[in-house]
Amino acid sequence: MLRVLAVDDEEPALEELLYLLRADPRIRSAEGATGATEALRRIGGAVDAGPDDPSAIDVVFLDIHMAGLTGLDVAQLLAGFAAPPLIVFVTAHEGFAVHAFDLKAVDYVLKPVRRERLAEAVRRVAEQVGDRSASVHDTAADQIAVELGGVIRFVPVEDIAYAEAQGDYARLHTAAGSHLVRIPLTTLEERWRPRGFVRIHRRHLVALGRIDELRLDAGSMSVRIAGAELAVSRRHSRALRDLLMRQTGR
């Protein structure tokens, strides 16, 4: 499911493009920008927020001829980003195709935009986004990036005992200390479920294999993990106990 930003300084053309994009079932969201400056501001904010943020953008459908900065200017600027969105040019002019593909554009769609041609561009984007996600999963699934004093470090997931929700952030607890990351706990739960992490409370996600003790006291349940005692909510207590019993073979 793709998150799209469409950019065109002619509002009728922009509205038509958004209408066609939103009708495609592979598009999760499609928003519009009426100029290069607005587009760059929104793309910059999305890149800074990260791929898991609601503002994230997978692909920009970009007009070439616009007042001020052109679509080609925007693409050249985006090439300097660490992890820019993909680009599809949408234009009435054929003469810029070679330059567009030099800028690593996924596709080059001519106006007036036909539904079938746009669907093919979306297919190409979806394929590249899938390849990019698979590559990230293969190379980085065992680690998570954290920032320490302006330096990015990669912490092995196997070193994390538990994660604690702090609003839209999560604090990761390891034997060496803790790290705050801008990723919601629900996202980490989905991402790390295959790695043996389980939710025990709305605030806590724990590595099942790192639990030292399971404690029952007057009907309440808690776990001892990495030197901390964490409460287990009633809604998660039975599932956690069953998981631990299966793990120990009882």
Side-chain angles (χ1 to χ4, degrees):
M1 296 292 287
L2 301 172
R3 299 158 295 186
V4 175
L5 178 67
V7 187
D8 198 315
D9 63 352
E10 296 181 0
E11 290 199 26
L14 179 60
E15 290 302 319
E16 175 67 15
L17 180 57
L18 288 171
Y19 172 78
L20 293 173
L21 287 167
R22 289 165 179 164
D24 192 307
R26 294 165 294 188
I27 304 295
R28 179 194 301 179
S29 63
E31 303 299 329
T34 55
T37 301
E38 180 188 355
L40 287 169
R41 177 181 57 78
R42 293 175 66 172
I43 295 166
V47 170
D48 289 343
D52 297 311
D53 192 82
S55 67
I57 299 168
D58 297 308
V59 57
V60 182
F61 283 77
L62 185 60
D63 188 24
I64 288 182
H65 276 291
M66 295 186 290
L69 293 175
T70 69
L72 296 174
D73 294 330
V74 172
Q76 288 176 326
L77 290 169
L78 292 183
F81 284 40
L86 300 174
I87 294 174
V88 173
F89 285 106
V90 182
T91 178
H93 305 276
E94 297 183 12
F96 297 98
V98 173
H99 194 178
F101 287 114
D102 284 344
L103 292 169
K104 311 300 183 186
V106 176
D107 209 343
Y108 191 91
V109 178
L110 290 174
K111 296 178 181 179
V113 179
R114 294 182 294 109
R115 187 185 300 269
E116 298 79 7
R117 181 65 184 86
L118 187 64
E120 172 61 17
V122 172
R123 183 196 66 78
R124 293 180 183 181
V125 169
E127 189 174 82
Q128 286 209 20
V129 169
D131 290 345
R132 179 186 285 184
S133 298
S135 175
V136 169
H137 176 78
D138 289 343
T139 58
D142 293 338
Q143 299 177 319
I144 184 167
V146 301
E147 184 176 351
L148 290 172
V151 177
I152 301 297
R153 289 185 52 205
F154 293 92
V155 175
V157 174
E158 65 181 15
D159 289 352
I160 298 167
Y162 66 96
E164 180 182 5
Q166 294 190 353
D168 291 332
Y169 292 73
R171 182 167 293 281
L172 312 179
H173 293 266
T174 71
S178 68
H179 312 281
L180 192 65
V181 295
R182 189 174 180 175
I183 305 175
L185 200 66
T186 52
T187 300
L188 292 179
E189 181 182 10
E190 293 175 8
R191 186 182 298 177
W192 290 349
R193 186 178 294 117
R195 304 184 64 85
F197 281 78
V198 295
R199 194 72 168 257
I200 64 166
H201 191 277
R202 63 183 177 83
R203 290 194 59 200
H204 291 120
L205 178 71
V206 305
L208 195 64
R210 301 289 293 272
I211 294 175
D212 298 315
E213 295 178 356
L214 177 66
R215 298 183 176 184
L216 298 172
D217 182 19
S220 64
M221 181 182 291
S222 63
V223 296
R224 189 78 177 170
I225 182 169
E229 186 169 346
L230 307 178
V232 181
S233 67
R234 289 184 180 275
R235 62 174 296 201
H236 293 102
S237 59
R238 180 165 184 173
L240 176 64
R241 185 161 48 187
D242 290 346
L243 283 169
L244 288 172
M245 291 302 181
R246 286 202 296 271
Q247 189 181 54
T248 58
R250 295 180 184 176

